[in-house]
Amino acid sequence: MRHSVPASRADLIERDRALGLEQPDALVWKDNPNIPKGGQVAVLIGDPTKTGEVVVQRVKLPPNYQVPPHTHPYAETVTLISGSVGFGMGEKFDNKGALAKPGTFFANPAKHAHYVWTGNEEAVIQVQFIGPGGIDYINPTDDPRKKTN
């Protein structure tokens, strides 16, 4: 009689990744230097630095958080996974709109100014685009990559 050894958590994660599965508790979250401090990103598939690469990433936004007006060189689709997020359009930040709930889908054309904010809870969005990634803030002083600590 053969007894199998239970797989370790690391083995299960590696097996899932080989099958193209990403489990939420296995995501590797990293600080996202492209958005204000506190935002994190986990890349599910693709390399955001490569031209023509399909990229799917999740972005974690803390409570009471704002990403100022910005554009991307690519079209993107965004799905709200958890929490609540406000999606605004234009070059001036205005968080007076309603907050979207999980399951909301948002399609944003390339080079179209937009911004996001959260309410009093953390939120996770899933973003899909064709690389390379990029972000340009409408007001250059809002760009966290240019701020000194």
Side-chain angles (χ1 to χ4, degrees), residues 7 13 15 84 102 106 135:
I13 290 170
R15 181 206 64 201
S84 54
F106 173 67
I135 185 169

Side-chain angles (χ1 to χ4, degrees), residues 13-140:
I13 290 170
E14 192 59 36
R15 181 206 64 201
D16 285 353
R17 286 196 175 134
L19 295 171
L21 297 172
E22 280 289 347
Q23 299 293 340
D25 60 345
L27 294 178
V28 178
W29 293 98
K30 296 180 179 180
D31 289 339
N32 187 344
N34 299 313
I35 60 177
K37 187 175 175 126
Q40 295 184 309
V41 65
V43 176
L44 281 71
I45 191 169
D47 181 341
T49 67
K50 292 188 178 174
T51 299
E53 187 99 2
V54 173
V55 177
V56 179
Q57 62 187 20
R58 297 223 174 134
V59 180
K60 190 183 290 185
L61 308 170
N64 305 306
Y65 186 76
Q66 298 177 353
V67 180
H70 62 278
T71 64
H72 302 288
Y74 50 79
E76 66 179 343
T77 58
V78 180
T79 304
L80 179 55
I81 302 295
S82 64
S84 54
V85 170
F87 294 103
M89 296 292 180
E91 296 186 355
K92 294 201 183 276
F93 189 88
D94 177 7
N95 63 351
K96 292 183 175 53
L99 295 174
K101 300 299 177 201
T104 300
F105 177 82
F106 173 67
N108 192 46
K111 300 181 181 175
H112 188 79
H114 62 287
Y115 51 90
V116 298
W117 72 93
T118 60
N120 60 3
E121 62 184 332
E122 177 182 272
V124 175
I125 57 175
Q126 182 164 300
V127 182
Q128 294 83 218
F129 61 91
I130 306 294
I135 185 169
D136 295 304
Y137 286 89
I138 302 303
N139 181 346

